[in-house]
Amino acid sequence: AQSVTQPDIHITVSEGASLELRCNYSYGATPYLFWYVQSPGQGLQLLLKYFSGDTLVQGIKGFEAEFKRSQSSFNLRKPSVHWSDAAEYFCAVGAEDYGGSQGNLIFGKGTKLSVKP
Amino acid sequence: DAGVTQSPTHLIKTRGQQVTLRCSPKSGHDTVSWYQQALGQGPQFIFQYYEEEERQRGNFPDRFSGHQFPNYSSELNVNALLLGDSALYLCASSLEDRFVEQYFGPGTRLTVT
């Protein structure tokens, strides 16, 4: 069955420190991978996406993620965290398989990021 | 460039009632998906609409139904509301030729009492 695992429910980092949020997926077909960010009470904003090609993808707000097929992982990183990065982060996997109509996204349960001053 | 919009922002209903939520897709997008996000959880896929037809459906009962209009906007209807239907309902839009790349609206917070 398709699934996304975000092992860390809550992470706290100091402002200016580096960040890595983990994501592992299980998907039989070639996956498309996404990271979204959600501020309290808000919708989801797309941070970055991986479809093919270079396995290191750059996103908005200084975030990047690396796709590692051998580890079924797509971890999100940022070299220096700002207080405004405090939010919840969701990893998602999807596939465009018209035969199987796999048009939906499957989300992890999210990682809440807190930033210490 | 107008993003995805949803209405209303908040809604309070009583068990057994029916509710309709609305979504306008991002300009140029023709595919709309709906998700339910319970408190503390990731979004769960309800269904996806393209060309006014339901193209794919998640594991939700028939109490959840939808519609897409010729202008690509969409409605989500939930009948016979249960307490467990309380959640943030998110609409996402995309292009048919890349329908998995989805952009989300701000959501409608539904509370069932």
Short mmCIF file of all heavy atoms in Angstrom, two decimals, chain A residues 1-4 25-29 93-95 100 102 104-106, chain B residues 56:
data_model
loop_
_atom_site.label_atom_id
_atom_site.label_comp_id
_atom_site.label_asym_id
_atom_site.label_seq_id
_atom_site.Cartn_x
_atom_site.Cartn_y
_atom_site.Cartn_z
N ALA A 1 0.84 -1.19 0.00
CA ALA A 1 0.00 0.00 0.00
C ALA A 1 0.88 1.24 0.00
O ALA A 1 1.98 1.25 0.54
CB ALA A 1 -0.92 0.01 1.21
N GLN A 2 0.36 2.26 -0.63
CA GLN A 2 1.11 3.51 -0.71
C GLN A 2 1.09 4.20 0.65
O GLN A 2 0.06 4.22 1.33
CB GLN A 2 0.47 4.41 -1.75
CG GLN A 2 0.31 3.74 -3.10
CD GLN A 2 -0.95 4.20 -3.81
OE1 GLN A 2 -1.59 5.13 -3.38
NE2 GLN A 2 -1.30 3.55 -4.89
N SER A 3 2.21 4.77 1.04
CA SER A 3 2.25 5.46 2.33
C SER A 3 3.40 6.45 2.37
O SER A 3 4.36 6.34 1.60
CB SER A 3 2.39 4.47 3.49
OG SER A 3 3.63 3.80 3.41
N VAL A 4 3.26 7.40 3.27
CA VAL A 4 4.32 8.38 3.53
C VAL A 4 4.53 8.42 5.04
O VAL A 4 3.55 8.54 5.79
CB VAL A 4 3.93 9.76 3.00
CG1 VAL A 4 4.98 10.79 3.39
CG2 VAL A 4 3.74 9.72 1.49
N TYR A 25 8.86 7.22 1.85
CA TYR A 25 7.63 6.88 1.14
C TYR A 25 7.68 5.42 0.70
O TYR A 25 8.74 4.81 0.59
CB TYR A 25 7.45 7.79 -0.08
CG TYR A 25 8.48 7.54 -1.16
CD1 TYR A 25 8.26 6.62 -2.16
CD2 TYR A 25 9.70 8.21 -1.13
CE1 TYR A 25 9.21 6.36 -3.12
CE2 TYR A 25 10.66 7.96 -2.09
CZ TYR A 25 10.42 7.03 -3.08
OH TYR A 25 11.38 6.78 -4.02
N SER A 26 6.49 4.91 0.46
CA SER A 26 6.33 3.57 -0.10
C SER A 26 5.38 3.69 -1.27
O SER A 26 4.21 4.06 -1.08
CB SER A 26 5.77 2.60 0.95
OG SER A 26 5.46 1.37 0.36
N TYR A 27 5.93 3.44 -2.46
CA TYR A 27 5.10 3.60 -3.65
C TYR A 27 5.66 2.74 -4.75
O TYR A 27 6.83 2.79 -5.04
CB TYR A 27 5.07 5.07 -4.07
CG TYR A 27 3.89 5.43 -4.92
CD1 TYR A 27 2.68 5.78 -4.33
CD2 TYR A 27 3.95 5.39 -6.30
CE1 TYR A 27 1.57 6.10 -5.09
CE2 TYR A 27 2.85 5.70 -7.07
CZ TYR A 27 1.67 6.06 -6.46
OH TYR A 27 0.57 6.36 -7.22
N GLY A 28 4.80 1.95 -5.39
CA GLY A 28 5.28 1.01 -6.38
C GLY A 28 5.71 1.64 -7.68
O GLY A 28 6.64 1.20 -8.32
N ALA A 29 5.01 2.68 -8.08
CA ALA A 29 5.32 3.33 -9.36
C ALA A 29 6.36 4.42 -9.14
O ALA A 29 6.82 4.65 -8.03
CB ALA A 29 4.05 3.91 -9.95
N VAL A 93 3.27 12.25 -1.61
CA VAL A 93 3.66 11.50 -2.81
C VAL A 93 2.45 11.35 -3.71
O VAL A 93 1.32 11.22 -3.24
CB VAL A 93 4.24 10.13 -2.43
CG1 VAL A 93 3.19 9.26 -1.75
CG2 VAL A 93 4.79 9.42 -3.65
N GLY A 94 2.69 11.43 -5.00
CA GLY A 94 1.63 11.24 -5.96
C GLY A 94 2.20 10.64 -7.22
O GLY A 94 3.41 10.62 -7.42
N ALA A 95 1.31 10.16 -8.09
CA ALA A 95 1.77 9.60 -9.36
C ALA A 95 0.71 9.84 -10.41
O ALA A 95 -0.48 9.79 -10.12
CB ALA A 95 2.06 8.11 -9.22
N GLY A 100 -4.29 3.72 -13.74
CA GLY A 100 -4.76 3.48 -12.38
C GLY A 100 -5.41 4.70 -11.77
O GLY A 100 -5.84 4.66 -10.63
N GLN A 102 -4.18 7.39 -10.62
CA GLN A 102 -3.53 7.76 -9.37
C GLN A 102 -3.28 9.25 -9.35
O GLN A 102 -2.14 9.70 -9.39
CB GLN A 102 -2.22 6.99 -9.21
CG GLN A 102 -2.41 5.49 -9.14
CD GLN A 102 -3.15 5.07 -7.90
OE1 GLN A 102 -3.00 5.65 -6.83
NE2 GLN A 102 -4.00 4.08 -8.03
N ASN A 104 -4.32 11.35 -6.93
CA ASN A 104 -4.40 11.99 -5.63
C ASN A 104 -3.04 12.04 -4.98
O ASN A 104 -2.11 11.33 -5.36
CB ASN A 104 -5.36 11.21 -4.73
CG ASN A 104 -4.91 9.77 -4.56
OD1 ASN A 104 -4.89 9.02 -5.52
ND2 ASN A 104 -4.52 9.40 -3.36
N LEU A 105 -2.92 12.91 -3.99
CA LEU A 105 -1.72 12.99 -3.18
C LEU A 105 -1.94 12.21 -1.89
O LEU A 105 -3.02 12.25 -1.31
CB LEU A 105 -1.39 14.44 -2.85
CG LEU A 105 -0.99 15.33 -4.03
CD1 LEU A 105 -0.80 16.77 -3.57
CD2 LEU A 105 0.29 14.81 -4.66
N ILE A 106 -0.89 11.53 -1.46
CA ILE A 106 -0.91 10.84 -0.17
C ILE A 106 0.05 11.59 0.73
O ILE A 106 1.23 11.77 0.39
CB ILE A 106 -0.49 9.38 -0.32
CG1 ILE A 106 -1.48 8.65 -1.23
CG2 ILE A 106 -0.39 8.69 1.03
CD1 ILE A 106 -1.00 7.31 -1.70
N GLN B 56 -11.68 10.35 -9.74
CA GLN B 56 -11.14 9.42 -8.77
C GLN B 56 -11.71 9.73 -7.41
O GLN B 56 -12.03 10.89 -7.12
CB GLN B 56 -9.61 9.53 -8.73
CG GLN B 56 -8.93 8.46 -7.89
CD GLN B 56 -7.45 8.67 -7.77
OE1 GLN B 56 -6.90 9.66 -8.25
NE2 GLN B 56 -6.77 7.77 -7.10
#
